[in-house]
Amino acid sequence: MSLPPEKASELKQLIHQQLSKMDVHGRIREILAETIREELAPDQQQLSTEDLIKALRRRGIIDDVMKELNFVTDNVDQDLPSSPKQPVGFTDKQSTLLKKTNIDPTRRYLYLQVLGGKAFLEHLQEPEPLPGQACSTFTLCLHFRNQRFRSKPVPCACEPDFHDGFLLEVHRENLGDGTRMADSTTMLSISDPVHMVLIKTDIFAETTLVASYFLEWRSVLGSENGVTNLTVELMGVGTESKVSVGILNIKLEMYPPLNQTLSQEVVNTQLALERQKTAEKERLFLVYAKQWWREYLQIRPSHNSRLVKIFAQDENGINRPVCSYVRPLRAGRLLDTPRQAARFVNVLGYERAPVIGGGGKQEQWCTLLAFLCRNKGDCEDHANLLCSLLLGYGLEAFVCVGTKAKGVPHAWVMTCGTDGTITFWESLTGHRYLHKPTNPDEPSAAEQPKPLYPYRTIGCVFNHQMFLGNCQPSDSVESCVFDLNDESKWKPMSEEAIKSVCAPGATTSLPPFPPLCASTIDASVTSNEIEMQLRLLVSEHRKDLGLTTVWEDQLSYLLSPALASYEFERTTSISAGNEEFQDAIRRAVPDGHTFKGFPIHFVYRNARRAFATCLRSPFCEEIICCRGDQVRLAVRVRVFTYPESACAVWIMFACKYRSVL
């Protein structure tokens, strides 16, 4: 079989790259030197090619190379619409096998290809990573009509090598039936954008939100053959929302191909009409909000200093009504109870919005997709997600905006029971607090116990349908009465006004809520990996102190029930199984020996970072650096996985030793 010259040179280049990656040349040089040294007589100066090939075959080098070279010849799905044929390439053994996608011929699909990026100028000076070297990566996350996708991570560069295709189903939610496929006109009425979020992950697995972009895909309905190429400029987030971070080349293609395409003029007219309708609804809501605020200030001038937040800026710097950040969200089978949902939200990382330079807190309420993809966010992001999940479980839930100690602004969640019980949920810790109002005028008020919750003042509460401003004489949480139907205590906004801009599909500028994704983390494998890394770190640390390390596997295993019990208690507030754990430890520790244990909890999987934190605790350091007679050490790690690959990592260090007086 003959190849064209350009294909032959491409194939040679690929083979050369793979051989360089495996360092085959270096291994050949070693074997050549060894063969000359061992097999050549002093008077014989030449070694034939056959002799060298025999030596390479004997040492398994040729077999290794053939195993590593896996020719990909079937990596293009024949069912995909006129995809450009991929060149023959090589894949590593670790790489995911390419699977064919089952395509329902009665459904409409949008095939979105990302064909590279350019002008990511922040990474202009970044050197090309060497094979096997850890480097920062970009990952592109997509959400479209209840479907979520994630690209393969690519090294951060000025021109990142994105080459991914995503098959998005358009024909959903009763838009046509099995016998009638959605046509161009029907699809033109689907205003859902493709939400694209770009995440940067550094070598320590820390994530940063780089860009959040809403792609208007309907231009493809008016393009010839139902295929169009777009250049998408991504803008930064927060304070950098007006600064370009890079450009993506995107190709959109309808499948099956459209029988009849619309004229570009019709598409543009539809988009312009939608923008006009949205702008008018938002203008009317703004007029109403200003009027409501004037009325609220007339009740009491001091209301001006209360935290009554009607609008909040998202990651793109766009002001949106706070009610649009909350919506009933069902977790399917990923979370079983409201308390488990609270635990899930709690293990998502907490990070305040980054601010350049000094000054106050930078405000940034993230869209749900940006928060979930980054796996961390501010207290408002946590509170919005928890409120949405609790609403999904059928509870009457609200986000509360107020302050903690020292006047620090804060957001938390409140649920109202049918019997009038008010429960506060702290989304950052998973703690729940019952609220009982105190009357400051009563003489017994001084004797009443101090509330356990950390909240000091409350300015407003809201969910997806209601917004209420606190108009009680005092905004102190302790004395606040949460009878939300009493308009002398809580000034409501018109539910119709809120619905006009916050109901699903009310405006085209409203980001759709994505579904939650199951965890991709294998809890057992990850637990083992972290445990092995910690054992190594402890051994090295003790070696530096001149101490030997003897591990006791049985003692390590006995720590498992305690870790499971701690996580169960965090989720349910119920303690269980402690008696069995204590009994097992008593049996495992002989008379005259001392046992010490130290549990600690993290929401990240970086063993080195966790170990450094543990050493800062004098109790933990005492165990790790334990000196004495017959010292035996143990460590147990248990990773509990949650949706969105969030996880709770419990670690317990323990030691037992003979007590010498």
Side-chain angles (χ1 to χ4, degrees):
M1 186 183 82
S2 62
L3 280 173
E6 66 271 15
K7 287 284 179 192
S9 62
E10 187 180 343
L11 192 58
K12 282 179 186 174
Q13 188 183 358
L14 284 164
I15 292 171
H16 178 72
Q17 284 172 358
Q18 189 68 16
L19 294 178
S20 303
K21 186 177 169 188
M22 294 172 62
D23 193 25
V24 169
H25 299 102
R27 290 162 74 185
I28 289 173
R29 276 195 291 274
E30 286 172 21
I31 288 165
L32 182 59
E34 195 182 315
T35 308
I36 290 171
R37 198 167 54 249
E38 290 175 5
E39 296 182 15
L40 280 189
D43 56 334
Q44 196 180 344
Q45 293 302 315
Q46 286 192 343
L47 184 72
S48 70
T49 311
E50 286 140 319
D51 293 335
L52 180 57
I53 288 172
K54 271 185 203 167
L56 293 173
R57 201 181 291 281
R58 199 163 55 241
R59 285 163 177 79
I61 302 294
I62 290 175
D63 288 343
D64 286 356
V65 172
M66 294 313 290
K67 275 182 204 163
E68 286 289 327
L69 296 180
N70 177 20
F71 287 81
V72 178
T73 53
D74 194 20
N75 63 348
V76 180
D77 195 326
Q78 300 304 314
D79 293 329
L80 289 184
S82 60
S83 300
K85 192 157 184 183
Q86 304 283 331
V88 173
F90 301 103
T91 60
D92 291 335
K93 279 194 281 193
Q94 288 91 353
S95 70
T96 312
L97 289 170
L98 293 148
K99 296 177 185 172
K100 287 194 173 187
T101 306
N102 291 324
I103 295 178
D104 183 346
T106 65
R107 300 285 185 183
R108 276 282 180 217
Y109 294 94
L110 173 68
Y111 186 45
L112 186 153
Q113 289 173 278
V114 185
L115 305 172
K118 57 188 178 185
F120 285 78
L121 300 178
E122 195 178 320
H123 302 278
L124 192 60
Q125 304 298 326
E126 209 138 305
E128 188 128 340
L130 298 168
Q133 180 188 6
C135 65
S136 298
T137 58
F138 281 139
T139 309
L140 198 59
C141 305
L142 273 70
H143 168 232
F144 178 68
R145 295 179 69 71
N146 236 27
Q147 305 158 79
R148 286 185 53 191
F149 301 87
R150 182 182 285 264
S151 73
K152 294 189 287 288
V154 299
C156 292
C158 184
E159 297 187 355
D161 190 25
F162 286 112
H163 276 92
D164 272 296
F166 308 99
L167 203 60
L168 317 178
E169 192 177 329
V170 181
H171 187 273
R172 288 170 80 89
E173 295 167 19
N174 304 320
L175 288 163
D177 51 39
T179 57
R180 184 172 162 273
M181 188 180 288
D183 57 15
S184 304
T185 313
T186 309
M187 288 191 288
L188 187 60
S189 66
I190 302 171
S191 59
D192 303 49
V194 179
H195 190 183
M196 305 169 73
V197 168
L198 184 63
I199 301 290
K200 178 182 174 181
T201 310
D202 69 13
I203 56 173
F204 304 109
E206 287 295 311
T207 54
T208 313
L209 179 62
V210 178
S212 174
Y213 184 83
F214 293 94
L215 176 69
E216 178 50 74
W217 58 277
R218 286 175 289 175
S219 58
V220 73
L221 300 175
S223 59
E224 200 177 337
N225 304 323
V227 180
T228 187
N229 289 287
L230 304 172
T231 302
V232 169
E233 184 179 20
L234 301 177
M235 307 304 278
V237 294
T239 51
E240 298 173 41
S241 58
K242 301 286 185 284
V243 181
S244 173
V245 292
I247 290 168
L248 291 179
N249 295 320
I250 288 174
K251 182 181 180 183
L252 299 175
E253 196 168 349
M254 293 307 302
Y255 179 77
L258 297 171
N259 298 328
Q260 183 184 1
T261 57
L262 303 171
S263 75
Q264 201 63 54
E265 191 181 348
V266 169
V267 175
N268 293 342
T269 305
Q270 171 72 12
L271 300 183
L273 275 171
E274 286 177 5
R275 281 194 294 269
Q276 193 179 328
K277 267 188 185 175
T278 295
E280 182 60 14
K281 284 183 179 180
E282 288 174 346
R283 187 189 68 78
L284 289 172
F285 181 77
L286 181 60
V287 169
Y288 169 75
K290 283 180 176 177
Q291 176 63 27
W292 183 93
W293 178 244
R294 276 195 295 272
E295 291 171 5
Y296 182 71
L297 292 182
Q298 283 168 12
I299 296 169
R300 209 175 277 112
S302 62
H303 284 182
N304 196 31
S305 60
R306 293 190 181 182
L307 275 176
V308 178
K309 192 149 196 62
I310 303 170
F311 294 93
Q313 280 194 356
D314 67 10
E315 66 266 25
N316 290 326
I318 295 167
N319 271 319
R320 289 172 40 209
V322 289
C323 297
S324 69
Y325 289 90
V326 174
R327 193 179 301 174
L329 181 65
R330 287 163 56 171
R333 300 192 185 277
L334 300 177
L335 297 167
D336 296 319
T337 65
R339 295 192 188 190
Q340 200 180 8
R343 178 60 174 153
F344 156 59
V345 175
N346 153 223
V347 298
L348 289 169
Y350 168 61
E351 181 182 81
R352 291 178 64 172
V355 58
I356 300 168
K361 178 185 171 185
Q362 167 66 32
E363 183 190 80
Q364 182 180 301
W365 291 31
C366 280
T367 55
L368 184 54
L369 185 68
F371 175 40
L372 294 176
C373 293
R374 191 170 54 137
N375 247 216
K376 59 185 176 186
D378 214 330
C379 61
E380 294 89 357
D381 302 323
H382 286 79
N384 290 336
L385 174 56
L386 178 56
C387 184
S388 298
L389 287 166
L390 296 182
L391 287 166
Y393 280 111
L395 301 179
E396 189 181 8
F398 296 87
V399 175
C400 304
V401 179
T403 62
K404 291 196 296 185
K406 299 180 182 174
V408 176
H410 190 62
W412 66 97
V413 177
M414 169 183 84
T415 51
C416 307
T418 50
D419 58 354
T421 307
I422 300 297
T423 308
F424 292 149
W425 303 63
E426 177 46 65
S427 58
L428 296 179
T429 62
H431 293 157
R432 297 161 69 251
Y433 309 96
L434 282 176
H435 174 262
K436 289 176 183 168
T438 60
N439 187 344
D441 300 328
E442 283 182 14
S444 60
E447 298 163 23
Q448 291 181 2
K450 201 176 173 195
L452 297 171
Y453 50 77
Y455 319 120
R456 293 290 172 267
T457 67
I458 182 164
C460 64
V461 301
F462 68 87
N463 62 18
H464 62 304
Q465 293 173 328
M466 298 168 73
F467 183 96
L468 301 118
N470 182 4
C471 52
Q472 295 169 62
S474 167
D475 63 352
S476 165
V477 178
E478 281 182 53
S479 59
C480 193
V481 176
F482 286 95
D483 179 3
L484 302 181
N485 295 317
D486 186 344
E487 293 194 14
S488 68
K489 293 183 171 62
W490 294 93
K491 179 172 171 57
M493 266 195 174
S494 156
E495 289 190 27
E496 282 302 311
I498 292 168
K499 198 175 173 182
S500 71
V501 287
C502 297
T507 65
T508 53
S509 63
L510 201 63
F513 264 44
L516 296 182
C517 283
S519 178
T520 57
I521 296 169
D522 186 319
S524 302
V525 170
T526 310
S527 300
N528 279 335
E529 283 174 356
I530 297 172
E531 196 170 299
M532 289 301 107
Q533 289 168 16
L534 286 174
R535 281 195 176 203
L536 193 64
L537 289 165
V538 170
S539 299
E540 284 176 356
H541 186 74
R542 287 177 62 85
K543 191 177 178 183
D544 291 343
L545 298 172
L547 301 169
T548 57
T549 307
V550 182
W551 295 101
E552 187 171 310
D553 289 341
Q554 177 61 11
L555 185 59
S556 294
Y557 181 69
L558 295 184
L559 304 178
S560 295
L563 301 184
S565 173
Y566 299 148
E567 182 60 22
F568 183 73
E569 189 176 351
R570 284 287 178 102
T571 306
T572 62
S573 305
I574 299 165
S575 180
N578 204 31
E579 302 81 9
E580 294 88 340
F581 168 65
Q582 289 181 356
D583 189 59
I585 293 298
R586 285 193 193 101
R587 289 173 178 278
V589 179
D591 289 344
H593 282 65
T594 300
F595 170 84
K596 288 180 180 177
F598 177 80
I600 191 166
H601 167 256
F602 298 100
V603 294
Y604 51 80
R605 306 189 301 278
N606 186 324
R608 195 171 287 277
R609 183 177 160 196
F611 183 65
T613 305
C614 292
L615 282 178
R616 286 201 284 274
S617 161
F619 301 107
C620 188
E621 193 195 23
E622 195 179 308
I623 291 169
I624 291 169
C625 307
C626 180
R627 296 169 183 267
D629 185 25
Q630 296 181 24
V631 175
R632 297 292 181 269
L633 291 169
V635 62
R636 191 67 171 171
V637 176
R638 180 72 168 86
V639 173
F640 296 88
T641 58
Y642 288 91
E644 300 296 330
S645 298
C647 59
V649 180
W650 282 96
I651 299 171
M652 192 169 192
F653 290 99
C655 68
K656 65 175 186 181
Y657 58 93
R658 185 196 290 275
S659 306
V660 180
L661 296 174

